[in-house]
Amino acid sequence: MLKSKKRVADKTGTSDEPLKKKTNNESSNNSKPSKFSKPTKPSNGSGGKPMDKFQGKNFSGKPSNFAEKPNKFASRPGNKFAGKPKFPMKQEEGANNNKGEKTDWNKFKQEKKDLKMKRKQGKDTYEISIEAKQIYEKLKCRKTEKKAELVEKLFNLFSTGDTIKKVVMAHDTARVIQCMLKFASPSVREQLSERLMPLAVEMSISKYAHFCVLRMFKYGSPVTKSKLVDAFYGNIVKLACHNISSKILDHVYLTVANAKQKIYMRQEFYGDLYKKTKDDKVKTMADCYMETPVMKASILSAVKANLEHVSNKQLVDNSLVHAIMLEYVKEMEEDKVEETVTMFAPLIPLMLTTKDGCQASIICFYKSTPKNRRAIIKTIKEHLIKICTHEHGHLFIIALLNSLDDTKATKKAIYDTLHPELQTLMANQWGRRVIEWLISPGGTSCFHPTFIATIEEGLQYGKKDKEVRRKEIFEQIEEPIASAISEQPEFWLSDKHIGLVTGEILTRLSSEHFVKASTALAKLIAQPDWSVSVEDETKEKQKKKPQDVEKIIADATKQKTKQRKQAQKASKTQYDNADGESGEAEDQDSDDDEKEKEEIATVNVIGIEEAGLHIILKKIIKNDKERLAADAATQTFGGLLVQELSEETLKSWININRACFILLNIFENNSEDVQQQLRNLLKKHLAQLKKQKFNGAQLLVKKLN
């Protein structure tokens, strides 16, 4: 295209002039129309001449202005674009570039800074906040004395008008209020709390002010805390549906509110009727329609709507919400079961952090269809280790294991996921209960009869016989468990709690797997240098702790309410982060607690002499008599241990009372062949045994003779 134009210019001899596009008339005169030619456009009516598309442009190498076109908005009345150039910014940039001027960025930044300062100074709280922050810098310093006077000075500063409301919502001055609540005298703290009380709901949903609410709960008097809980009435559902206030509400429901206040908080989920007025007769959801059954449908629909609102925002990890869920799943109608379970299925991992939530999850699982059960198992699979090691979550796993009919799917979905983390589970008191249920489901040696009765309520939702189900599950898992014991026997006898589970496993294993696991354990026990680490109890007894009344009360409260749940930990982390941002303003009591925290002292003890393991070994050896009664030719734990005993081990054992009792138990609970082997081993050491004065050695000598 360019070459053809160049040739035309050469022929005409006007190479310096801009090329002009041929008009339709010219092209029609010079050449015949082809089937590919574009249709001609009508002329603009100016003397019959067509409008040139490139008119006003210069192709000589220098840029020129565009031809001015009429503004189509100019004729409209009240048009803000009338008379304005089409491309003003481009023209300015081009002008600046032509002039060679550069933007002074330092001047630009300074102007922005001055504008920001001018806006701040325009606020009526600017001077007060500046003065308050200067006092705050002194107040948060640890070395500052008479902090109560500084707090009183700040309180007087904020007492004018509605200053306190504006200050508490700001990101910088909110920390001043937190520091005041921490260091104020009881009277000033009470007055400050009273000023903040009407703002409690607004502060709870504020990004910065909600830390002040947490401070009020931490440092306030019992009366202040009770009034603060009452200030939430009428907005409980609103607070439960907010990301920030939901954590505060969880903290209030678990640790601050009394029984009556908890009932009032739950009532607001039953409908708008209970937001303004409370009823002392209504303690549960069922009490709402006990006298008027017609209201049941409306109340259940209101509760369901509130729960849907909370679940849509993923704020289900809340103890108050879990309590409402439990009441709802107990009272819901049969035709709403599947819909409810479908709604709660993705939220099951968040519901397992409290007792009420766990019970609600178990009921949902029992009443769900096979499709929903598979969905629930898929949801919890990635969180399985955390759930199994949780105080309440492990109950859901046990209920699930006890009610699923498809044992192969149970082994694949549950045990295969747990097996790589078997040691993690065994090291945790709740994880051990899951393993114990897999090994000995419904065993009274591991579980309380009341717990067993509660779990077996789920059997009515299954079709397979419970004994058949439990036998099938154990047959699938005994081989990997026996292999795990044979690979790391030192772990399975490292602790008295783990040893109890090990003893239960050996009792249940079949002959082949029993020999495999018992041989590895016997080799470990027979080592002369076998030792275990235990806590040094002597130091704990000698250590004197200061009689701090507040600390004792806090510990008692913590023990009563047990551990903080997942949502509480998150809120506490946020609270600590806010304190960390304020520099050195940390609690003196927290510093003292950190100094008192020390690593638990441990000492190495000879394994055969450790009290807990001694009892476990005796139980394992006593089980040999039952094995021999079932099959006289089978191998026993005592027999395998005698085969592994060396001369060096025997020399050390005959000087230990508990070791002699272990040898005595082997002699009493095993066959004559094992007894004869033991006699032959101890024949050389009989004289030394007779010199010992402890009971174990004396009884062992009598048996040998």
Side-chain angles (χ1 to χ4, degrees):
M1 188 70 181
L2 293 173
K3 289 181 181 179
S4 63
K5 287 183 178 181
K6 189 175 180 181
R7 287 172 185 170
V8 172
D10 292 341
K11 288 179 182 180
T12 57
T14 58
S15 58
D16 294 332
E17 296 178 2
L19 294 174
K20 295 184 179 179
K21 189 177 180 181
K22 291 183 178 182
T23 62
N24 293 331
N25 294 334
E26 289 175 355
S27 62
S28 62
N29 296 332
N30 295 337
S31 61
K32 294 181 179 180
S34 65
K35 61 180 180 179
F36 300 109
S37 61
K38 294 182 180 179
T40 58
K41 295 181 181 179
S43 61
N44 59 352
S46 58
K49 295 181 181 179
M51 181 177 286
D52 192 355
K53 183 177 179 181
F54 297 94
Q55 185 177 355
K57 287 191 177 182
N58 182 18
F59 287 87
S60 60
K62 295 182 180 180
S64 63
N65 295 331
F66 289 100
E68 293 184 0
K69 294 183 180 180
N71 190 346
K72 61 180 180 179
F73 298 106
S75 59
R76 297 181 184 178
N79 180 31
K80 64 180 180 179
F81 297 106
K84 291 187 178 181
K86 192 171 183 181
F87 306 106
M89 292 300 296
K90 289 185 179 180
Q91 290 178 4
E92 288 177 9
E93 289 174 3
N96 289 337
N97 291 335
N98 291 335
K99 292 178 183 179
E101 295 179 359
K102 292 184 178 179
T103 305
D104 189 353
W105 291 108
N106 292 330
K107 184 180 178 182
F108 177 76
K109 289 178 182 178
Q110 186 62 37
E111 289 175 357
K112 287 281 186 183
K113 193 175 180 180
D114 294 342
L115 181 61
K116 186 178 180 182
M117 182 60 67
K118 188 176 180 181
R119 286 173 180 168
K120 281 186 177 181
Q121 290 173 352
K123 296 179 180 178
D124 53 353
T125 58
Y126 175 73
E127 298 294 337
I128 295 174
S129 62
I130 291 295
E131 187 178 352
K133 282 189 278 188
Q134 290 174 354
I135 300 172
Y136 167 67
E137 290 298 325
K138 298 177 183 177
L139 183 62
K140 72 177 183 178
C141 185
R142 292 181 181 178
K143 297 180 181 180
T144 304
E145 297 178 357
K146 299 181 180 180
K147 293 186 176 183
E149 295 179 3
L150 294 175
V151 173
E152 193 169 353
K153 189 176 179 181
L154 283 170
F155 180 72
N156 295 330
L157 192 65
F158 293 149
S159 296
T160 55
D162 61 343
T163 307
I164 193 76
K165 181 180 179 180
K166 296 176 182 178
V167 165
V168 78
M169 298 297 176
H171 72 95
D172 50 354
T173 49
R175 295 177 190 164
V176 179
I177 302 294
Q178 294 175 45
C179 206
M180 289 172 66
L181 289 165
K182 178 180 175 181
F183 295 115
S185 61
S187 59
V188 174
R189 187 184 292 126
E190 193 74 22
Q191 294 176 38
L192 181 59
S193 300
E194 288 294 332
R195 295 288 302 276
L196 295 173
M197 206 73 72
L199 308 172
V201 175
E202 191 177 350
M203 288 164 60
S204 297
I205 61 177
S206 171
K207 183 177 180 181
Y208 305 106
H210 81 277
F211 291 111
C212 298
V213 179
L214 290 173
R215 289 274 180 159
M216 290 167 73
F217 279 121
K218 184 173 183 180
Y219 297 110
S221 64
V223 177
T224 302
K225 293 178 182 179
S226 181
K227 287 182 180 178
L228 193 55
V229 175
D230 294 342
F232 289 155
Y233 291 160
N235 298 279
I236 297 296
V237 178
K238 176 185 175 182
L239 295 174
C241 296
H242 195 276
N243 186 32
I244 296 172
S245 58
S246 175
K247 296 166 186 175
I248 297 176
L249 204 64
D250 183 28
H251 169 73
V252 170
Y253 188 80
L254 271 178
T255 60
V256 181
N258 55 38
K260 188 175 182 180
Q261 289 174 329
K262 288 180 180 180
I263 293 170
Y264 287 168
M265 291 171 76
R266 290 199 300 268
Q267 284 181 9
E268 295 198 20
F269 277 86
Y270 303 157
D272 295 339
L273 178 66
Y274 296 99
K275 284 188 176 180
K276 294 183 179 179
T277 59
K278 309 298 178 186
D279 191 350
D280 292 334
K281 295 180 181 179
V282 177
K283 296 183 178 179
T284 61
M285 189 188 300
D287 295 336
C288 297
Y289 47 82
M290 184 180 292
E291 297 178 358
T292 54
V294 184
M295 293 180 62
K296 181 176 180 180
S298 61
I299 289 171
L300 288 176
S301 63
V303 173
K304 184 184 175 185
N306 288 329
L307 289 177
E308 282 181 348
H309 192 192
V310 175
S311 61
N312 288 338
K313 294 198 172 186
Q314 298 293 318
L315 297 174
V316 183
D317 193 8
N318 188 314
S319 53
L320 173 60
V321 177
H322 292 173
I324 301 298
M325 283 180 168
L326 179 59
E327 290 185 346
Y328 179 74
V329 296
K330 284 181 177 179
E331 301 295 330
M332 64 182 174
E333 298 173 353
E334 291 298 325
D335 57 339
K336 300 288 184 181
V337 169
E338 188 174 352
E339 183 183 353
T340 304
V341 171
T342 305
M343 180 177 70
F344 287 167
L347 308 171
I348 292 289
L350 299 175
M351 295 167 61
L352 298 176
T353 55
T354 62
K355 184 179 179 181
D356 291 341
C358 184
Q359 290 179 6
S361 303
I362 291 172
I363 294 172
C364 287
F365 186 80
Y366 284 161
K367 295 185 177 182
S368 60
T369 60
K371 181 180 178 181
N372 282 329
R373 287 190 175 192
R374 287 193 294 271
I376 290 171
I377 292 171
K378 186 177 180 181
T379 304
I380 67 171
K381 195 172 181 181
E382 57 181 321
H383 311 287
L384 203 55
I385 302 299
K386 290 183 179 179
I387 293 171
C388 288
T389 54
H390 194 272
E391 178 185 0
H392 304 295
H394 79 282
L395 300 175
F396 178 78
I397 301 298
I398 292 174
L400 183 148
L401 293 171
N402 195 53
S403 59
L404 277 176
D405 289 333
D406 191 351
T407 54
K408 289 186 178 179
T410 303
K411 192 257 180 184
K412 184 178 179 181
I414 305 298
Y415 185 78
D416 288 353
T417 308
L418 297 178
H419 184 75
E421 301 292 334
L422 207 55
Q423 292 190 14
T424 304
L425 295 175
M426 290 296 296
N428 182 272
Q429 60 172 329
W430 313 115
R432 283 195 295 271
R433 287 169 66 85
V434 176
I435 302 301
E436 284 172 347
W437 189 270
L438 286 167
I439 300 301
S440 179
T444 52
S445 59
C446 302
F447 302 97
H448 195 273
T450 308
F451 175 80
I452 296 170
T454 305
I455 293 298
E456 289 188 347
E457 289 176 1
L459 294 174
Q460 58 181 314
Y461 299 98
K463 298 178 181 179
K464 191 178 287 187
D465 182 63
K466 71 174 183 179
E467 297 300 332
V468 175
R469 183 195 294 116
R470 291 170 179 178
K471 185 179 178 182
E472 288 177 356
I473 291 175
F474 182 76
E475 286 174 352
Q476 295 179 57
I477 67 171
E478 66 172 340
E479 193 275 330
I481 286 183
S483 300
I485 293 174
S486 61
E487 288 172 4
Q488 288 188 323
E490 61 278 357
F491 171 78
W492 293 87
L493 285 178
S494 61
D495 180 61
K496 56 187 177 183
H497 304 294
I498 298 172
L500 282 171
V501 183
T502 307
E504 194 65 32
I505 292 170
L506 293 177
T507 305
R508 298 270 297 165
L509 288 176
S510 59
S511 181
E512 179 186 353
H513 301 301
F514 172 80
V515 172
K516 182 180 179 181
S518 297
T519 304
L521 294 173
K523 287 180 179 179
L524 174 69
I525 295 166
Q527 292 177 5
D529 57 346
W530 177 47
S531 62
V532 293
S533 296
V534 295
E535 293 182 16
D536 190 2
E537 297 179 356
T538 57
K539 285 191 176 182
E540 288 292 327
K541 291 178 181 178
Q542 292 174 0
K543 185 178 178 181
K544 292 182 179 180
K545 296 183 179 179
Q547 294 295 322
D548 188 351
V549 177
E550 291 184 1
K551 190 175 183 303
I552 291 170
I553 294 171
D555 292 343
T557 306
K558 188 179 288 185
Q559 186 177 2
K560 184 178 178 182
T561 57
K562 298 183 181 179
Q563 277 186 321
R564 302 281 187 189
K565 304 306 177 285
Q566 192 175 1
Q568 282 181 292
K569 289 179 181 177
S571 64
K572 186 182 176 188
T573 304
Q574 286 187 0
Y575 182 75
D576 293 340
N577 289 342
D579 292 346
E581 289 174 357
S582 60
E584 298 179 351
E586 299 177 356
D587 298 340
Q588 290 289 344
D589 4 345
S590 65
D591 295 336
D592 297 337
D593 291 343
E594 287 178 6
K595 291 176 183 178
E596 288 179 7
K597 285 181 182 177
E598 296 177 359
E599 293 183 2
I600 298 172
T602 57
V603 291
N604 285 334
V605 180
I606 299 171
I608 201 69
E609 200 173 2
E610 208 275 321
L613 292 176
H614 172 71
I615 295 170
I616 291 161
L617 291 175
K618 284 171 69 176
K619 285 185 177 181
I620 295 171
I621 293 167
K622 283 180 180 179
N623 189 53
D624 291 347
K625 187 178 285 187
E626 296 178 9
R627 285 190 170 273
L628 290 171
D631 183 7
T634 190
Q635 287 185 297
T636 61
F637 185 83
L640 294 169
L641 182 57
V642 169
Q643 292 176 13
E644 300 294 336
L645 289 174
S646 62
E647 289 292 327
E648 186 180 356
T649 304
L650 282 173
K651 284 181 182 179
S652 62
W653 278 24
I654 59 176
N655 297 316
I656 301 171
N657 184 35
R658 285 175 175 158
C660 290
F661 272 110
I662 294 296
L663 295 173
L664 179 63
N665 276 272
I666 294 173
F667 191 89
E668 291 176 346
N669 294 285
N670 278 275
S671 62
E672 293 182 0
D673 293 339
V674 175
Q675 291 176 359
Q676 190 58 42
Q677 289 179 18
L678 192 58
R679 280 195 186 97
N680 295 336
L681 285 172
L682 293 172
K683 192 179 290 184
K684 299 177 183 179
H685 308 283
L686 201 57
Q688 183 67 23
L689 266 174
K690 291 178 180 179
K691 293 179 182 179
Q692 304 297 339
K693 294 181 180 180
F694 44 79
N695 293 336
Q698 292 175 5
L699 292 171
L700 182 59
V701 170
K702 288 180 182 179
K703 284 289 181 182
L704 293 174
N705 293 332

